[in-house]
């Protein structure tokens, strides 16, 4: 008998073939008895069992002891495995095939496989190994095919899992790093349940940082879960939730925007789609305000676009669904209207929008830069900062621009009906709409505007505010043409003509005026509510242009009830009962109470006119009225010059030269001329304000700057430099910005006198 040492038999047939390790597809047998004795899948088990083969003719002897031991082990195995079975005599055969044929003719009840061993090293058992190899090769090919199929299935599953993970993958927040969406936590002290919930939200925290990520909240199992969740979010992180588009929020989070206290106060009104009139815009917070409303406009455009795309996909899946009613559009595509004073202001807003959305492509960008970008510094350093901020760059006030957004591209100069955001100045949009008498008047592109932003409204007041009111009056009207509209998807409130009640209007200005109050009451009718933010003014009289010089200032009230002013002809009762009668009462008070102290009443009078008197007139209509009166025969002895916004450069140069030299006693100067030019007028010894300026900085520049220069040049002594201002109860907004919020009430309601001196 040969020893068991020799060539290692083949491991593991896939269909339960001859093997001492057992087949991987076979049934599980007991470890000590038979391995791999199960039936393979898809293969027919051979109808025989294998035993150790012995050759009687050619039997090599190595050791008698080893052969006796082997015989003993074989006999023991055969006796243990084949109890109650007939003895099978296995004769010696010359080949394996003969033995197999002989074995198949006999009937064998036990179905167990035994280990095949070599009886001798020189024994010709190649056929045994050949049989094993051939059978297992065939089965191995089938196994390889099945393994390949399995691998393909696994790869597909892995790809699907990766896609799902990418969709569900969410960034770890700065607060909590767990990825589970909701975790239940049993309360140890209370019987009610407490939930720990992770929310993906965008909030502005107490420190002003804008975060977009996951926030861990404790939530009791109560009825109104969502409300409690939002309250817990704001209470826990001292922030305000911003409902933002996820893609935009991810991009904004990379910029690490930080909102200051002023911007955090504005964000609830802006992102809750309420109307807002903000009267606290300054040069310092202008960039933050611009970023805030640009972010809101982009968020609105992206969210509405995503909603339309999702609804289009739903309709594509169920084209015949009758119950599916999707109302997600307006009559036309434009959704946002931004009104700005100059091209340079438009350039800043566009650059802010592009920095937030980061598009991959920008169509017509070179054309936009050629039309709006101007890098030349055309102003001297003497000009104040607010003037350089407003008129720096391209200060053209006649423009309009359409901006179209796709998933990867931003297109400049798109047609209005294909645009998402429309930029324009009041004059440019008025020219696009046309007059009511025009046959080709077109305002349909404003029919579906959902967000109106008016920035730098104080500068628009100096242009032509009537254009702004005209534009707003033609917004959200029923269109005259269809323009390819799918009326089955138009919102109900647009069809019913109530779109203006669902439009948000945001107005940012440096100060409040009666025109803005009228816009607030007539054109801001949002159903979500509206708010007006005004600061408390310390008063421009405390800091006159930062010069440190404070002349004597006198404020004269006119038009009070039952107030009588004596004139040369008669005593007439002058009361300013309404804003419509205020200009007439003001003019009468000026020519009867103020002008006689400036010019001699008759030619024979020995009094000489006071030189170096600057008369500041806010309104151009009042300017024309006073100019005509001084030029009439009644005041023929008065020498004066006039500078308005319509004066030519030559006229302005002559008037300034003659007034500085003393050849002219009085100089009439309008507020709009100072707004657009900011002249430094020399020779001013006293200032008379026919009306208070709208912009409080103008008061400091004129009352403080002009007189301070005259004192520095030695033209007048500091005690003789005076300022006299006329006001009525209709000038309460202007007066508050100049004298301060604490003093304005007493000056308007005081019944003891009409003159107030500030030294």
């Amino acid at each position: 008998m040969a020893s068991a040492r020799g060539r290692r038999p083949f491991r593991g047939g896939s269909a339960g073939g001859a093997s001492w390790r057992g087949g991987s597809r076979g049934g599980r047998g007991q470890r000590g008895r038979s391995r791999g004795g199960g039936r393979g899948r898809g293969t027919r088990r051979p109808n025989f069992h294998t035993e150790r083969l012995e050759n009687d003719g050619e039997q090599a002897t190595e050791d008698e002891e080893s052969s006796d031991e082997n015989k003993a082990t074989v006999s023991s195995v055969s006796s243990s495995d084949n109890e109650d079975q007939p003895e099978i005599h296995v004769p010696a055969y010359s080949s394996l095939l003969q033995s197999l044929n002989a074995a198949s003719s006999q009937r064998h009840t036990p179905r167990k496989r035994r280990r095949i061993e070599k009886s001798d090293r020189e024994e010709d058992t190649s056929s045994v190994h050949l049989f094993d190899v051939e059978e297992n090769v065939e089965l191995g090919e089938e196994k390889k095919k099945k393994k390949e199929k399995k691998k393909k299935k696994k790869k597909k599953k892995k790809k699907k899992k990766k896609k799902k993970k990418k969709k569900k993958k969410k960034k770890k927040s700065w607060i909590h790093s767990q990825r589970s969406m909701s975790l239940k936590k049993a309360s140890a002290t209370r019987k009610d349940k407490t939930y720990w919930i992770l929310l993906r939200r965008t909030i502005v925290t107490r420190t002003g940082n804008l975060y977009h990520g996951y926030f861990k909240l404790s939530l009791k199992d109560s009825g109104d879960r969502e409300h409690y969740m939002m309250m817990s979010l704001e209470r826990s992180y001292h922030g305000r939730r911003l409902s933002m588009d996820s893609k935009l929020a991810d991009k904004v989070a990379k910029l690490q925007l930080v909102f200051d206290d002023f911007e955090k106060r504005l964000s609830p009104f802006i992102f809750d789609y309420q109307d807002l009139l903000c009267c606290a815009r300054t040069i310092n917070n202008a960039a933050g305000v611009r970023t805030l409303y640009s972010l809101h406009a982009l968020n609105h455009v992206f969210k509405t676009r995503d909603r339309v795309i999702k609804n289009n996909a739903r309709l594509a899946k169920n084209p015949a669904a009758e119950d599916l009613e999707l109302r997600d559009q307006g009559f036309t595509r434009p959704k946002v209207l931004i009104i700005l004073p100059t091209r340079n202001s438009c350039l800043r807003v566009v650059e802010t929008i592009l920095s937030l959305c980061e598009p991959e492509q920008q169509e017509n960008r070179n054309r936009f830069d050629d039309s709006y970008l101007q890098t030349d510094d055309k102003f001297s350093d003497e000009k104040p900062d607010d003037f350089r901020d407003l008129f720096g760059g391209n200060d053209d006030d006649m423009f309009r621009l359409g901006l179209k957004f796709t998933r990867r591209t931003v297109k400049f100069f798109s047609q209005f009906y294909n645009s998402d955001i429309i930029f324009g100045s009041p004059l440019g949009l008025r020219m696009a709409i046309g007059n009511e008498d025009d046959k080709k008047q077109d305002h349909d592109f404003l029919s579906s505007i959902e967000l109106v932003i008016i920035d730098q409204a104080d500068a628009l007041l100096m242009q032509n505010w009537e254009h702004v009111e005209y534009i707003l009056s033609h917004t959200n009207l029923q269109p005259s043409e269809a323009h390819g509209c799918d009326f089955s998807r138009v919102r109900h409130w647009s069809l019913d003509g109530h779109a203006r009640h669902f439009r948000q209007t945001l107005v940012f200005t440096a100060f409040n005026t009666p025109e803005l109050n009228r816009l607030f009451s007539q054109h801001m009718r949002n159903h979500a509510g509206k708010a007006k933010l005004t600061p408390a003014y310390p008063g421009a009289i405390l800091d006159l242009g930062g010069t440190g010089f404070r002349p004597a200032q006198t404020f004269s009230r006119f038009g009070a009830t039952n107030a009588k002013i004596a004139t040369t002809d008669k005593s007439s009762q002058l009361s300013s009962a309404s804003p419509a009668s205020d200009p007439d009462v003001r003019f009468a008070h000026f020519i009867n109470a103020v002008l006689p102290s400036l010019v001699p009443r008759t030619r024979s009078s020995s009094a000489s006119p006071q030189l170096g008197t600057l008369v500041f007139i806010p309104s151009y209509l009042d300017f024309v009225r006073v100019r005509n009166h001084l030029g009439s025969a009644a005041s023929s002895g008065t020498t004066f010059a006039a500078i308005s916004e319509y004066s030519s450069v030559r006229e302005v140069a002559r008037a300034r030269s003659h007034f500085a030299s003393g050849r002219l006693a009085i100089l009439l100067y309008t507020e709009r001329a100072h707004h657009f030019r900011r002249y430094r007028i020399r020779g001013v010894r006293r200032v008379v304000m026919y009306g208070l300026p709208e912009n409080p900085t103008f008061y400091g520049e004129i009352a403080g700057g002009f007189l301070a220069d005259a004192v520095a040049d030695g033209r007048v002594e500091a005690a003789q430099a005076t300022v006299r201002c006329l006001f009525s109860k209709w000038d309460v907004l202007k007066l508050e910005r100049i004298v301060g919020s604490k003093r304005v009430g007493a000056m308007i309601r005081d019944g003891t006198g009409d003159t107030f001196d500030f030294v």
Side-chain angles (χ1 to χ4, degrees):
M1 293 293 295
S3 64
R5 194 191 320 169
R7 182 174 179 182
R8 191 174 186 180
F10 187 81
R11 288 195 181 188
S14 63
S19 170
W20 64 279
R21 281 281 184 180
S24 61
R25 296 292 182 97
R28 294 185 179 179
Q30 294 181 4
R31 182 163 183 170
R33 299 184 62 186
S34 63
R35 295 273 187 102
R39 187 182 299 273
R41 296 182 185 178
T43 59
R44 184 171 177 270
R45 184 186 175 195
N47 192 16
F48 59 87
H49 74 279
T50 59
E51 293 182 1
R52 189 179 59 176
L53 302 179
E54 298 177 355
N55 284 333
D56 295 338
E58 298 178 356
Q59 194 172 25
T61 59
E62 287 183 2
D63 230 333
E64 292 181 358
E65 295 179 359
S66 62
S67 63
D68 293 338
E69 290 177 0
N70 291 334
K71 287 180 182 179
T73 55
V74 172
S75 62
S76 63
V77 171
S78 62
S79 63
S80 62
D81 289 342
N82 296 328
E83 293 178 359
D84 302 333
Q85 298 294 334
E87 258 188 9
I88 301 172
H89 177 69
V90 182
Y93 296 99
S94 61
S95 66
L96 179 63
L97 293 177
Q98 293 179 3
S99 64
L100 291 177
N101 292 332
S104 62
S105 61
Q106 300 177 5
R107 186 174 182 180
H108 303 283
T109 54
R111 296 184 177 181
K112 296 181 181 180
R113 292 176 296 173
R114 296 175 183 171
R115 178 178 175 183
I116 301 176
E117 297 179 355
K118 282 187 177 182
S119 60
D120 195 354
R121 291 189 178 184
E122 298 180 358
E123 181 183 1
D124 186 12
T125 56
S126 59
S127 59
V128 177
H129 296 290
L130 179 62
F131 177 80
D132 260 345
V133 172
E134 287 179 352
E135 179 179 323
N136 286 293
V137 165
E138 293 177 358
L139 298 175
E141 290 179 356
E142 293 180 1
K143 188 176 180 181
K144 285 181 181 179
K145 291 180 181 179
K146 291 179 181 180
K147 283 185 177 180
E148 288 178 358
K149 290 181 180 180
K150 280 187 177 181
K151 287 182 180 179
K152 289 181 180 179
K153 289 181 180 180
K154 286 182 180 179
K155 286 182 180 179
K156 289 181 180 179
K157 288 182 180 179
K158 285 182 180 179
K159 287 182 179 179
K160 289 182 180 180
K161 287 182 180 179
K162 285 182 180 179
K163 288 181 180 179
K164 289 181 180 179
K165 285 182 180 179
K166 285 182 180 179
K167 290 181 180 179
K168 295 182 179 180
K169 190 176 180 181
K170 298 170 182 177
K171 289 186 177 180
K172 296 181 181 180
S173 70
W174 57 284
I175 296 174
H176 196 60
S177 60
Q178 295 185 5
R179 298 182 61 184
S180 59
M181 288 301 296
S182 61
L183 302 173
K184 292 185 178 180
K185 177 184 176 183
S187 179
T189 58
R190 300 180 182 179
K191 295 181 180 180
D192 57 349
K193 294 182 179 180
T194 303
Y195 296 93
W196 292 102
I197 295 182
L198 291 178
L199 295 176
R200 191 182 189 188
R201 292 291 184 266
T202 304
I203 67 170
V204 179
T205 62
R206 179 178 56 183
T207 57
N209 297 319
L210 188 146
Y211 286 105
H212 177 71
Y214 295 99
F215 300 89
K216 183 179 179 181
L217 300 178
S218 61
L219 175 65
K220 294 181 180 179
D221 191 5
S222 58
D224 194 357
R225 182 174 299 183
E226 184 69 20
H227 175 71
Y228 185 86
M229 193 158 43
M230 291 300 101
M231 294 296 292
S232 300
L233 176 64
E234 297 180 7
R235 191 185 304 112
S236 301
Y237 300 105
H238 306 277
R240 180 72 187 179
R241 177 194 173 191
L242 306 182
S243 178
M244 291 184 59
D245 180 71
S246 59
K247 295 181 181 179
L248 180 61
D250 292 336
K251 294 179 180 179
V252 171
K254 296 178 182 178
L255 299 177
Q256 298 181 355
L257 297 179
V258 178
F259 292 162
D260 56 13
D261 294 337
F262 178 71
E263 295 163 4
K264 286 188 291 184
R265 292 179 182 178
L266 296 182
S267 60
F269 304 104
I270 294 176
F271 288 94
D272 287 347
Y273 285 89
Q274 298 180 8
D275 289 344
L276 176 65
L277 174 58
C278 177
C279 305
R281 186 188 185 277
T282 61
I283 303 176
N284 298 328
N285 60 24
V289 170
R290 191 184 306 117
T291 303
L292 197 61
Y293 70 70
S294 300
L295 179 63
H296 178 54
L298 271 179
N299 182 45
H300 181 73
V301 170
F302 289 171
K303 289 180 69 176
T304 52
R305 182 192 64 186
D306 293 343
R307 187 182 300 114
V308 171
I309 292 174
K310 290 180 181 179
N311 291 337
N312 290 339
R314 292 176 61 186
L315 290 175
K317 290 181 180 179
N318 300 320
E322 298 179 356
D323 299 337
L324 190 60
E325 184 180 6
L326 302 175
R327 300 286 180 174
D328 56 359
Q329 300 180 13
F331 295 110
T332 55
R333 179 168 180 170
K335 305 174 186 65
V336 181
L337 175 64
I338 302 179
I339 303 177
L340 301 165
T342 62
R343 287 179 180 258
N344 189 49
S345 301
C346 179
L347 175 65
R348 292 175 180 173
V349 177
V350 171
E351 288 179 346
T352 303
I353 290 176
L354 295 179
S355 65
L356 293 174
C357 65
E358 297 180 353
E360 296 181 5
Q361 298 178 358
Q362 300 179 25
E363 296 185 13
N364 301 328
R365 180 58 192 266
N366 294 333
R367 177 186 171 189
F368 174 76
D369 292 339
D370 295 339
S371 303
Y372 288 80
L373 183 60
Q374 184 175 344
T375 58
D376 297 339
D377 190 4
K378 54 187 176 181
F379 301 116
S380 61
D381 296 336
E382 296 180 355
K383 301 296 182 182
D385 294 336
D386 60 333
F387 179 81
R388 299 169 66 88
D389 180 73
L390 178 60
F391 295 103
N394 194 337
D395 60 351
D396 185 15
D397 60 352
M398 167 62 181
F399 68 93
R400 51 183 177 267
L401 173 68
L403 212 61
K404 178 182 178 181
F405 291 88
T406 59
R407 290 190 177 274
R408 298 182 178 180
T409 308
V410 173
K411 183 178 180 180
F412 296 88
F413 297 100
S414 60
Q415 295 182 359
F416 279 174
Y417 290 99
N418 296 328
S419 302
D420 295 307
I421 301 178
I422 295 177
F423 301 87
S425 63
L427 181 59
L429 293 174
R430 178 67 182 269
M431 296 294 291
I433 296 173
N435 297 325
E436 296 181 357
D437 299 336
D438 296 342
K439 295 182 180 180
K440 295 183 179 180
Q441 186 183 17
D442 184 15
H443 54 77
D444 293 349
F445 62 91
L446 300 175
S447 60
S448 300
I449 293 295
E450 301 170 2
L451 175 60
V452 176
I453 301 173
I454 303 176
D455 196 8
Q456 296 178 279
D458 51 323
L460 300 178
L461 287 167
M462 294 296 173
Q463 293 180 356
N464 196 336
W465 187 253
E466 182 184 356
H467 294 340
V468 178
E469 294 180 344
Y470 184 84
I471 294 167
L472 293 178
S473 63
H474 286 78
T475 305
N476 298 121
L477 299 180
Q478 296 291 332
S480 58
E481 298 179 7
H483 300 286
C485 174
D486 184 4
F487 290 95
S488 63
R489 298 182 65 176
V490 178
R491 301 182 183 91
H492 289 293
W493 61 74
S494 296
L495 295 173
D496 297 338
H498 301 308
R500 62 176 180 173
H501 298 290
F502 293 85
R503 182 194 71 209
Q504 184 185 21
T505 305
L506 304 176
V507 182
F508 301 96
T509 177
F511 47 81
N512 192 14
T513 63
E515 292 83 0
L516 293 176
N517 282 333
R518 182 171 58 188
L519 183 145
F520 183 77
S521 60
Q522 293 183 1
H523 297 286
M524 293 186 177
R525 298 185 177 182
N526 193 346
H527 76 286
K530 58 183 178 181
K532 183 191 300 183
L533 301 180
T534 56
Y537 297 98
I541 59 176
L542 301 179
D543 185 15
L544 298 178
T547 59
F549 174 70
R550 297 180 62 180
Q553 306 169 59
T554 302
F555 290 81
S556 300
R557 184 178 62 184
F558 68 91
T561 306
N562 299 327
K564 293 183 179 181
I565 297 178
T567 62
T568 55
D569 300 332
K570 58 182 179 179
S571 177
S572 61
Q573 183 174 352
L574 302 173
S575 67
S576 182
S578 66
S581 61
D582 185 75
D584 297 332
V585 178
R586 187 185 300 270
F587 178 72
H589 180 78
F590 177 76
I591 63 175
N592 294 326
V594 180
L595 190 60
S597 62
L598 302 178
V599 297
R601 299 191 178 187
T602 60
R603 293 183 180 180
S604 59
S605 176
S606 59
S608 60
Q610 296 184 6
L611 299 177
T613 302
L614 176 68
V615 180
F616 180 82
I617 305 176
S619 173
Y620 181 75
L621 297 178
D622 293 337
F623 168 80
V624 173
R625 195 172 188 178
V626 174
R627 184 189 61 185
N628 294 340
H629 177 76
L630 293 177
S632 63
S635 302
S636 58
T638 306
T639 58
F640 72 96
I643 298 177
S644 68
E645 57 269 26
Y646 301 107
S647 300
S648 62
V649 177
R650 185 176 180 181
E651 293 174 351
V652 171
R654 186 192 310 113
R656 293 177 63 184
S657 176
H658 290 176
F659 179 76
S661 62
R663 295 177 58 182
L664 300 177
I666 299 175
L667 177 63
L668 305 181
Y669 190 45
T670 63
E671 184 176 9
R672 293 185 68 199
H674 187 72
H675 170 77
F676 288 107
R677 302 300 178 187
R678 298 292 179 93
Y679 295 119
R680 297 287 295 184
I681 299 177
R682 305 291 181 181
V684 179
R685 301 179 182 181
R686 63 192 55 81
V687 176
V688 176
M689 290 198 168
Y690 187 85
L692 298 176
E694 293 284 1
N695 195 338
T697 58
F698 294 172
Y699 182 86
E701 291 174 358
I702 295 172
F706 292 176
L707 292 177
D709 292 342
V711 173
D713 295 341
R715 296 176 181 270
V716 65
E717 296 181 359
Q720 296 179 355
T722 59
V723 179
R724 185 174 182 180
C725 304
L726 307 181
F727 73 96
S728 67
K729 62 181 180 180
W730 307 111
D731 297 330
V732 59
L733 296 178
K734 302 177 183 179
L735 187 65
E736 180 186 8
R737 295 189 286 270
I738 293 175
V739 301
S741 301
K742 296 181 179 179
R743 306 179 185 90
V744 62
M747 296 177 65
I748 292 295
R749 295 188 297 267
D750 191 6
T752 59
D754 296 334
T755 302
F756 305 89
D757 295 325
F758 295 90
V759 181

